[in-house]
Amino acid sequence: MSDLKNPNAHSEISNSHQQPENWFASYFDTPYYHILYKDRDYNEAQLFMDNITHYLNLPEDSKILDLACGKGRHSIYLNQLGFDVTGADLSENSIEAAKQSENKTLHFKVHDMRQPFEEKFDAIFNLFTSFGYFENDNDNLLTLVAIKESLSEYGFAVIDFMNATQVLQNLIPQETKTVDGITFDIRRFAIDGYIYKEIEFEDQGKKFHFTEKVKALTLNDFELLMEQAGIYLLDIFGDYKLKKFHKTESERLIMIFK
């Protein structure tokens, strides 16, 4: 979620103002989410996948779950590296688009991350701040438990989250961004442990208003959740080059656990 402080970076959180119970589902299913964030850095994403799979020393035919995969950009690249990949996301529209890239070792399915898979995976990746959307804190715990239960005996999981401390220190309150002829007026703020992004724009004579929202979970928050879930936190990194995590300086909070 480095976009919250940097207008040139890429966004990661998702919510719909009109449907508070499932905001993350309904906004992902609109075309505007993908228009606003079409400038994501694919080279950076691929570098991270190269580094993390090398660090985990995954055999080439390992089974990987890309949890909250969106349209599948990470899944597709992981499959190109030789892995057997399943991409899962709550957004039916995103999965429908991702399914166009399916093959014998690349599959996509609609799935709620709070539910474990019957299938077991050698690695589970939850990338690009795709965690912390839920209104109920217990749902974050349920997600971690589901990840743990979906791992094989020797499997590893990775959560790539924003560094909330650094984001809050560098929050840009207002920004205007024009993409594909649509001007997005963006306002950012933090309330009650959540980071919000209000997005307003007009398209084809209609006015739209979306609210993105994610819980500003810190490393300490994750450690407490993981302890409750019976998870072992093995390593922590602060960026996609897997450099050491610094509480106030690192852009990412990347956690390896099992």
Side-chain angles (χ1 to χ4, degrees):
M1 198 173 63
S2 54
D3 69 294
L4 286 173
K5 66 177 181 63
N6 181 354
N8 297 316
H10 28 273
S11 178
E12 311 156 278
I13 53 177
S14 218
N15 182 351
S16 168
H17 189 65
Q18 294 89 339
Q19 198 168 352
E21 287 302 314
N22 274 325
W23 40 261
F24 41 86
S26 56
Y27 183 31
F28 275 146
D29 266 344
T30 74
Y32 299 109
Y33 173 82
H34 300 287
I35 291 171
L36 180 56
Y37 304 127
K38 66 185 293 183
D39 61 348
R40 288 170 167 166
D41 190 334
Y42 283 81
N43 290 329
E44 183 182 57
Q46 291 180 1
L47 171 69
F48 181 38
M49 294 300 93
D50 289 339
N51 289 338
I52 200 67
T53 53
H54 179 73
Y55 168 83
L56 294 175
N57 195 26
L58 294 172
E60 192 172 278
D61 59 349
S62 294
K63 294 173 66 174
I64 295 178
L65 172 63
D66 181 8
L67 192 59
C69 66
K71 289 187 175 181
R73 64 188 182 121
H74 291 105
S75 300
I76 292 166
Y77 184 66
L78 286 165
N79 183 242
Q80 291 171 352
L81 294 178
F83 299 111
D84 185 327
V85 182
T86 297
D89 199 279
L90 196 61
S91 167
E92 294 183 5
N93 288 349
S94 292
I95 291 299
E96 184 178 349
K99 276 183 172 291
Q100 298 174 25
S101 300
E102 283 189 331
N103 59 50
K104 289 183 179 180
T105 56
L106 177 62
H107 304 281
F108 293 96
K109 58 181 66 178
V110 176
H111 182 83
D112 187 322
M113 65 169 62
R114 290 168 288 190
Q115 301 295 324
F117 277 76
E118 289 185 15
E119 188 177 359
K120 303 300 182 186
F121 297 91
D122 301 305
I124 298 176
F125 295 160
N126 179 249
L127 307 169
F128 212 51
T129 309
S130 299
F131 194 95
Y133 298 160
F134 303 110
E135 294 292 327
N136 186 339
D137 285 343
N138 191 57
D139 285 335
N140 293 322
L141 178 60
L142 286 176
T143 299
L144 287 177
V145 171
I147 291 173
K148 177 188 176 186
E149 291 180 355
S150 302
L151 284 172
S152 65
E153 183 180 358
Y154 300 104
F156 296 94
V158 179
I159 289 181
D160 160 35
F161 200 69
M162 63 174 174
N163 178 8
T165 302
Q166 193 258 8
V167 168
L168 288 167
Q169 288 176 346
N170 296 277
L171 207 64
I172 291 179
Q174 289 185 301
E175 172 194 355
T176 299
K177 184 177 181 181
T178 301
V179 186
D180 289 356
I182 302 173
T183 298
F184 297 90
D185 291 314
I186 302 168
R187 189 167 67 95
R188 302 175 178 87
F189 54 93
I191 298 177
D192 295 334
Y194 286 86
I195 298 174
Y196 291 80
K197 185 195 287 188
E198 300 278 357
I199 302 168
E200 294 185 352
F201 58 94
E202 288 190 24
D203 185 38
Q204 299 180 12
K206 294 182 179 180
K207 292 185 177 182
F208 294 87
H209 178 192
F210 290 106
T211 302
E212 302 182 354
K213 174 183 176 182
V214 67
K215 182 138 188 169
L217 294 164
T218 64
L219 175 57
N220 184 60
D221 293 326
F222 274 106
E223 287 174 337
L224 291 173
L225 281 168
M226 289 179 178
E227 185 177 351
Q228 287 179 270
I231 282 171
Y232 299 98
L233 182 58
L234 303 174
D235 218 338
I236 308 161
F237 300 109
D239 64 19
Y240 293 142
K241 295 180 181 178
L242 305 189
K243 292 182 180 177
K244 184 178 178 181
F245 175 75
H246 293 278
K247 181 178 178 181
T248 58
E249 298 174 17
S250 296
E251 290 194 356
R252 309 303 304 168
L253 171 59
I254 299 168
M255 295 161 286
I256 318 293
F257 59 92
K258 64 180 304 178

